[in-house]
Amino acid sequence: MLQQYKIWIAECYSCQIDIIELLNNSNLSEQLIVYTSHSRNRPELVNLEHYFEQPKISESAPWLLQKCIEHKINILFAGKHSQYLESLRPEFEAHQITLITGAVNHDFHDLINNKYQFTLKCEAQNLPAIPARLANSTESLQIAIDELQQQHTELCVKPVYGVYGAGFLRLQNHVNYFKTFESAFKCNTQQFIEAYSQQEKPIKYLVMPYLAGRECSVDIACSNGKIIAQVTRIKHDYFQECYLEHPCHQTCIELVALFQCDGLINIQFKQDQDLNWHILEINPRPAGGFAYTQHTGIILVAELIAEKLHLVLKRPVPTAVVQVLPIIQSIKMDCKH
């Protein structure tokens, strides 16, 4: 009889059901009992056999520790804001529970989540980060913009902390002020400075040259600073392309080692006008579209769990390049009157 292991998939973004289904559809399913939890009403999860409603992320670490001890969990996979769990790593390990948070140390989580310190760390290692200035006041914002505008044709800004895309803006000197209501990612430069100056407590921002080239997203299964498998996704208007080989993969090997990444993570890159790839950021969690990579034959979450539990994973013949069309599915909810 095969030995069985219990794994707990804690709150993720939209891909939590994908993680569970990919594991259930792999040959590992015979040896896995999957528990899951979320702090919000997620109809695709609530009918699963081992589903629990967890406290909000910032307060869930002690609760998850207690539940994992109670149910004799072997692995806890944290898919969202896992820095809150990282501080309890010694307690999890004391109960022989493998904790997967995206990085193996709280200091690395801090470096990854602080995009300015992340940039400085990459630059110190001669990795191709996008040069950035830190703005934490109206004066420092104006100085950063003035300096960078002398070197670059267009600038952009994004918060030092936050999910990629949230707060990101392209700054354009001559665009109409109303443009920011027509396009979520464009803003008049002076308008942004004026809006920034009206904050009671200024949010820390990065000011950077805007790169107009293509963007790619590398989904990675890694363990203790080493890559197990990686697949690059490039988004097009109506589909995505997935690649088993890509120019960014060597840089990913260096980044995963440098920041001691551990889990199912995502690294973003963008091209400049000369088609050179530059690092945007590391997300120490699975990206919403990571499941598209399964069509290459590489099941990233299965690769991760097989590595952690020393299980034999049966792999289909991989396909080097595939095109994937995302399809939205509807889910019936129970009506409660």
Side-chain angles (χ1 to χ4, degrees):
M1 183 175 178
L2 292 173
Q3 181 177 354
Q4 287 198 313
Y5 300 89
K6 295 180 178 181
I7 66 172
W8 189 300
I9 311 297
E11 182 168 339
C12 306
Y13 285 100
S14 60
C15 64
Q16 190 164 350
I17 190 64
D18 295 320
I19 291 173
I20 295 167
E21 289 180 348
L22 286 169
L23 287 173
N24 286 339
N25 292 335
S26 74
N27 71 288
L28 303 183
S29 63
E30 298 177 359
Q31 293 181 259
L32 299 179
I33 301 173
V34 179
Y35 290 68
T36 189
S37 59
H38 205 285
S39 65
R40 298 181 181 179
N41 179 26
R42 297 294 293 270
E44 74 274 25
L45 300 175
V46 295
N47 291 323
L48 297 177
E49 183 178 359
H50 301 292
Y51 170 79
F52 295 83
E53 183 178 343
Q54 73 178 58
K56 63 181 182 180
I57 288 288
S58 59
E59 301 171 0
S60 64
W63 182 88
L64 282 165
L65 174 62
Q66 184 57 42
K67 287 294 182 183
C68 287
I69 295 171
E70 178 184 335
H71 292 278
K72 297 180 172 57
I73 301 297
N74 300 104
I75 290 179
L76 172 62
F77 178 94
K80 182 179 179 183
H81 298 303
S82 52
Q83 67 272 21
Y84 293 113
L85 277 162
E86 184 60 36
S87 59
L88 291 184
R89 182 176 290 276
E91 286 83 349
F92 280 96
E93 291 178 346
H95 290 87
Q96 291 76 52
I97 301 167
T98 299
L99 180 63
I100 300 176
T101 66
V104 294
N105 183 286
H106 209 286
D107 291 340
F108 289 116
H109 277 279
D110 288 344
L111 277 172
I112 290 170
N113 291 326
N114 184 322
K115 295 179 179 63
Y116 182 60
Q117 293 300 325
F118 173 78
T119 299
L120 295 181
K121 184 72 171 176
C122 290
E123 289 178 336
Q125 298 297 317
N126 295 316
L127 291 169
I130 302 173
R133 301 282 196 282
L134 176 65
N136 53 16
S137 67
T138 304
E139 181 183 11
S140 60
L141 175 65
Q142 183 72 67
I143 291 171
I145 289 174
D146 290 344
E147 289 180 353
L148 287 175
Q149 280 186 335
Q150 296 177 25
Q151 307 167 40
H152 304 280
T153 56
E154 187 176 350
L155 304 183
C156 63
V157 292
K158 68 178 180 181
V160 169
Y161 294 98
V163 178
Y164 179 74
F168 171 84
L169 285 169
R170 292 171 61 181
L171 301 184
Q172 298 178 327
N173 288 350
H174 305 296
V175 73
N176 189 291
Y177 269 35
F178 195 77
K179 189 66 177 179
T180 191
F181 298 103
E182 297 178 324
S183 172
F185 299 109
K186 289 185 180 180
C187 183
N188 179 281
T189 306
Q190 184 58 35
Q191 180 184 14
F192 180 76
I193 295 171
E194 292 171 9
Y196 189 90
S197 68
Q198 294 178 19
Q199 298 178 94
E200 291 184 10
K201 185 177 181 181
I203 298 171
K204 292 181 180 179
Y205 261 81
L206 294 185
V207 184
M208 306 171 294
Y210 173 73
L211 304 185
R214 179 175 290 179
E215 186 174 324
C216 79
S217 183
V218 187
D219 299 305
I220 302 171
C222 52
S223 182
N224 296 307
K226 293 184 179 180
I227 289 180
I228 306 165
Q230 58 183 327
V231 181
T232 289
R233 287 183 291 119
I234 294 181
K235 299 176 184 178
H236 299 272
D237 287 342
Y238 301 106
F239 67 96
Q240 295 193 22
E241 287 182 319
C242 300
Y243 297 84
L244 295 186
E245 295 184 2
H246 191 270
C248 291
H249 284 190
Q250 180 55 44
T251 303
C252 288
I253 292 172
E254 297 177 58
L255 286 169
V256 166
L258 179 62
F259 292 95
Q260 283 297 288
C261 297
D262 181 75
L264 190 57
I265 70 165
N266 173 264
I267 304 182
Q268 302 274 343
F269 293 85
K270 198 164 189 185
Q271 282 181 318
D272 60 23
Q273 61 183 9
D274 298 318
L275 305 184
N276 297 311
W277 289 101
H278 297 267
I279 306 159
L280 291 176
E281 64 185 25
I282 296 176
N283 295 305
R285 56 171 178 79
F290 96 93
Y292 304 155
T293 62
Q294 67 180 291
H295 300 291
T296 64
I298 302 298
I299 313 301
L300 292 168
V301 66
E303 294 282 353
L304 173 65
I305 298 304
E307 172 74 16
K308 292 295 187 182
L309 294 176
H310 308 290
L311 301 178
V312 177
L313 177 65
K314 294 179 181 177
R315 301 172 176 87
V317 177
T319 305
V321 183
V322 297
Q323 293 183 342
V324 181
L325 179 66
I327 297 176
I328 303 296
Q329 291 184 323
S330 62
I331 297 173
K332 182 180 179 181
M333 297 177 65
D334 292 332
C335 295
K336 296 180 179 179
H337 300 285

